[in-house]
Amino acid sequence: MLLSRTLRFYKREDVRERLKQHASDREVAIRYQEYFGKRPDTIEYADDVLEFAKDGAVSFHCSEERWANPTSLRTGISHDEMQDLRTGWDLLLDIDCDHYPYSRLAAHHLVKIIQDHGVSAVTAKFSGNSGFHIGVPYEAFPERIPRGRMNTLFPEAPRRISAYLASRLYPRLSDIIVGEEDGDLQVIADKTDVEPSRLTDNEGDLRITTFLEIDTVAIAPRHLYRMPFSFHEKSGLISQPVPPEEILGFDRLDAKPGKVDLSVPFLDRDVEEGDAETLIVQAYDHEPRREEETDRSDEEFDPPAEAVDRQYFPPTIQNILSGLSDGRKRAAFTLCNFLKSVGWSYDQIEHELYEWNERNNPSLRDVYIESQLKQAKKQKEVIPPHNYPHAGTTYYEDLGVYEPDNLSKKVKNPVQYARLKSGEGSEE
C-alpha cells in the first residue's frame, strides 16, 4: 500500500482523534507493511498517530482487554500479574467468513440475537476486508455475577458468551442461507470454495461452520483486533463502524477512505451498567453438555389454546411477580418468556409487566420495559424460561426466588408446572 495514501488519511485530525479515543486504556500494536512494531505500545495523543504514519504505519490494532498500565505488559507475564493489571474487557465477536454477503448476513442476525437479550449497547463494524466485528462494551455488563467479579472473567466469560450466541446463530443462519440459495448446495459451494460433500451433516443439514464461524481464537489474553477507522493493508479499505440497522445495506466500497463516516460509534462506553446482564447470565446457564436435559419439545412448550391463569403459576414465578430489588432485568426477560409460553397475549404481557415493575424496588426504567416488550413482540419463536435447578441451572437460586414444592420437583420447567396445574398438560 502506498505510504502517500495512508499518510493522507491519517493526517486528518478527526481520524487521529477517533483512534486516540478508542486506544484509551488499551494495548496498541502498529502494523507496518509486512510486520508489527514493538509490543506493548500505546496512543496517548492524537499526534502519535501521525508520527506512526510518517514512519510507515499502515494499520492500528488494539486489545480487547483494558489495562491500568498497558506499558507494564511484557512477554512471559504471569496470569496473576495480568489479573492485577486488567481493569476490564470488551466483548469482541469476530465473524470469520471469506464470502462477504454471508458475513453480512451473519453480522445482521448476530446483532438481532444480542438485542433479543435486551442489549441496546451492541455495535458493529466492517473489518476492512470480508468480515465484521460485533462489540458490547465492558460498561454494559454488571460489576459481578455469581461466578465472580467481571474484570477477572477474561477470557472465560466472553468465550462462554460466544459459544452461547453461536448455538443460537448457526441454525438460524443455515436455514436463511439455504433459503436464499433455493436449496442449491452447489451455489453455496461455489461461493464459499467448499466441496459440496463437506457442506452437510449426516442428516443433510447445512454445516455452516465449514465456511463461517464466530472466531473464538480471537478471544484470548492480549489478543488484538483492528481498530475502527484503521486501514486494512490487503483491501485498502477502512475498518468502518456500521449502524446495526444498516448492516444488510452496507457495501464494502462504502469503506473507501474518502467515504468514511466518523460519526458512527463502536464500543461506546457511555452505556447503562447492566444492559448486558441477561446476556451473560444466559450464557453461563447454557451448558452444551446438558443439551439433552434442557431441550424443549414442541409437545411440552407449544403455547396452550387458552392462556393459563395466574393462580396456576409455580411459587418461583409468583415470587418474581411479587417484585424484586435485585436481578430485575433478568426477571423481566424470564417473565416475558414464561408468559408467552403459557399462552398470554402481547397485551396481557404488557399489562402484567408494567404492573410488576411498580412492585419492584427500585423500578426499572420504562424504556427498559418497552425494549423487552418490543423484543417479545418481534420474536416469533416461543422460548421457555430457565429450567429448575435440578434440571441443570442455578438461575432461580441466583435470583433468590426459587421455592420448590412437590410438583416443581417432578418437572423440569416452570411452564410444565403451570400447564399441569391448570390441567392443560399431562405428567409423564
Side-chain angles (χ1 to χ4, degrees):
M1 183 177 294
L2 293 176
L3 175 61
S4 59
R5 192 176 184 213
T6 57
L7 191 55
R8 186 184 315 117
F9 182 71
Y10 293 130
K11 275 185 176 180
R12 290 178 50 177
E13 184 177 353
D14 52 358
V15 171
R16 299 200 308 272
E17 186 61 32
R18 287 303 306 273
L19 286 165
K20 188 265 290 185
Q21 290 174 358
H22 195 79
S24 177
D25 304 331
R26 304 179 193 274
E27 178 184 4
V28 172
I30 316 301
R31 183 178 175 89
Y32 298 90
Q33 290 290 351
E34 300 294 335
Y35 65 94
F36 276 96
K38 68 178 180 69
R39 290 182 63 183
D41 215 330
T42 59
I43 296 175
E44 300 291 337
Y45 305 99
D47 284 347
D48 291 345
V49 175
L50 183 56
E51 293 306 312
F52 287 129
K54 288 178 179 178
D55 289 338
V58 176
S59 58
F60 296 85
H61 303 251
C62 69
S63 60
E64 301 161 48
E65 297 156 278
R66 313 265 193 85
W67 305 103
N69 183 6
T71 58
S72 296
L73 297 166
R74 65 183 188 282
T75 301
I77 188 172
S78 72
H79 170 77
D80 289 344
E81 288 176 300
M82 278 202 292
Q83 290 283 57
D84 289 340
L85 282 172
R86 188 185 298 112
T87 60
W89 47 268
D90 295 319
L91 177 66
L92 196 288
L93 303 170
D94 183 0
I95 295 174
D96 184 14
C97 179
D98 290 334
H99 184 58
Y100 176 72
Y102 290 168
S103 288
R104 187 170 54 189
L105 268 177
H108 170 78
H109 287 284
L110 181 56
V111 166
K112 291 294 184 186
I113 291 169
I114 294 172
Q115 290 174 333
D116 284 347
H117 289 74
V119 182
S120 58
V122 60
T123 50
K125 76 176 178 72
F126 171 55
S127 70
N129 193 17
S130 62
F132 280 84
H133 293 151
I134 309 301
V136 178
Y138 180 70
E139 288 76 9
F141 294 98
E143 186 176 339
R144 66 177 301 118
I145 57 174
R147 185 79 177 190
R149 292 185 64 82
M150 198 62 59
N151 66 311
T152 67
L153 297 179
F154 187 93
E156 175 193 323
R159 284 178 179 171
R160 285 263 195 162
I161 296 171
S162 177
Y164 168 64
L165 292 173
S167 74
R168 300 285 304 276
L169 174 67
Y170 294 163
R172 178 188 298 190
L173 198 60
S174 295
D175 291 343
I176 290 169
I177 289 175
V178 169
E180 287 213 347
E181 307 298 2
D182 296 324
D184 193 333
L185 291 179
Q186 187 60 54
V187 172
I188 299 173
D190 291 342
K191 290 181 176 180
T192 59
D193 197 26
V194 175
E195 289 293 326
S197 60
R198 294 182 55 231
L199 280 175
T200 56
D201 59 23
N202 293 334
E203 296 179 357
D205 295 325
L206 182 65
R207 186 186 289 122
I208 200 157
T209 53
T210 57
F211 58 86
L212 185 149
E213 285 187 295
I214 299 176
D215 186 2
T216 54
V217 176
I219 303 173
R222 297 192 67 189
H223 181 81
L224 304 174
Y225 65 92
R226 192 178 309 277
M227 291 173 64
F229 309 112
S230 170
F231 263 102
H232 193 290
E233 49 280 338
K234 292 182 180 178
S235 68
L237 299 174
I238 303 299
S239 188
Q240 167 71 58
V242 182
E245 67 276 9
E246 297 179 14
I247 290 173
L248 284 180
F250 186 80
D251 189 277
R252 291 176 76 250
L253 297 183
D254 292 336
K256 286 184 174 182
K259 299 180 69 175
V260 165
D261 183 355
L262 291 162
S263 68
V264 184
F266 183 69
L267 289 174
D268 187 354
R269 302 184 185 192
D270 185 18
V271 299
E272 182 182 356
E273 182 183 347
D275 185 58
E277 180 179 11
T278 296
L279 174 62
I280 194 166
V281 171
Q282 293 278 92
Y284 267 94
D285 281 346
H286 172 73
E287 292 283 357
R289 66 178 179 272
R290 291 176 177 161
E291 260 182 28
E292 188 176 337
E293 296 176 333
T294 58
D295 274 355
R296 56 192 183 277
S297 72
D298 292 338
E299 181 181 356
E300 291 175 329
F301 291 105
D302 273 351
E306 294 185 9
V308 175
D309 191 84
R310 181 171 170 169
Q311 65 179 310
Y312 301 117
F313 292 179
T316 295
I317 297 297
Q318 299 282 12
N319 288 339
I320 292 176
L321 285 168
S322 68
L324 301 174
S325 57
D326 295 316
R328 291 157 295 142
K329 290 184 177 180
R330 282 178 281 166
F333 185 79
T334 295
L335 286 177
C336 280
N337 287 345
F338 174 81
L339 294 172
K340 197 170 184 180
S341 297
V342 296
W344 283 39
S345 69
Y346 175 80
D347 288 342
Q348 287 175 304
I349 295 172
E350 180 180 30
H351 178 77
E352 186 67 33
L353 224 61
Y354 278 113
E355 283 203 344
W356 164 75
N357 194 38
E358 291 179 3
R359 294 189 288 272
N360 290 327
N361 184 24
S363 298
L364 291 167
R365 294 192 304 165
D366 282 351
V367 67
Y368 188 83
I369 299 296
E370 289 167 8
S371 70
Q372 287 293 310
L373 290 166
K374 182 179 179 183
Q375 294 302 330
K377 191 172 187 178
K378 287 168 53 180
Q379 188 171 287
K380 295 180 180 179
E381 183 184 7
V382 178
I383 302 174
H386 286 76
N387 285 340
Y388 285 124
H390 58 267
T393 171
T394 62
Y395 181 81
Y396 300 110
E397 292 177 321
D398 294 340
L399 276 177
V401 298
Y402 181 54
E403 185 180 333
D405 62 6
N406 289 334
L407 180 54
S408 65
K409 293 175 182 177
K410 297 177 182 179
V411 297
K412 293 179 180 179
N413 194 280
V415 174
Q416 291 171 303
Y417 183 110
R419 295 283 299 275
L420 287 168
K421 197 81 170 177
S422 67
E424 284 282 348
S426 60
E427 192 171 349
E428 295 182 6

